[in-house]
Amino acid sequence: MKAVVLLRAVFDASVGGGTYEGPYVLDGSSQAALGLARQWRSSAPGGRVAGVAIGPPEWEPALRNALVLGCDEVWRGWGDAMGGADVLTVAQAIAEIVRIVACSHQNARQI
């Protein structure tokens, strides 16, 4: 069984001085969700935690941190059309990635 955690990266305000500069980090909600998923995994023999994000390549360092924080695999979706996509388009992309993740039996760490 897998738990899927939606991940989001934001600019690290402590580095950029509150501006939109500097590295990306996982937001607080993503970190909290990972904590809950780790708790679930400890009580679910064979359970796995998969992180899913819709974000640009610049998010990859933050998403790699999700692996350190307990994700067994992380999947990131992005394409040219996603930059200005509406909420429905993003939701459809997330749903498609979750379908793929739910059906995958990979042990590899995806990014």
Side-chain angles (χ1 to χ4, degrees):
M1 185 178 298
K2 283 186 185 178
V4 176
V5 178
L6 298 181
L7 303 173
R8 180 172 171 247
V10 295
F11 283 107
D12 187 349
S14 67
V15 174
T19 64
Y20 293 111
E21 298 175 11
Y24 284 95
V25 295
L26 291 176
D27 71 350
S29 297
S30 297
Q31 293 179 33
L34 283 172
L36 291 172
R38 281 194 317 269
Q39 288 176 5
W40 166 82
R41 184 177 52 201
S42 68
S43 65
R48 296 182 55 79
V49 176
V52 171
I54 300 293
E58 293 82 13
W59 283 20
E60 287 191 12
L63 298 178
R64 282 191 194 97
N65 193 43
L67 296 170
V68 173
L69 294 174
C71 274
D72 296 302
E73 55 192 276
V74 174
W75 298 68
R76 181 184 61 82
W78 191 251
D80 294 337
M82 296 307 294
D86 61 20
V87 174
L88 179 58
T89 301
V90 174
Q92 290 170 332
I94 290 170
E96 185 60 29
I97 293 173
V98 169
R99 273 192 286 278
I100 293 167
V101 170
C103 295
S104 77
H105 299 289
Q106 294 188 16
N107 292 323
R109 293 183 169 197
Q110 301 291 326
I111 275 206

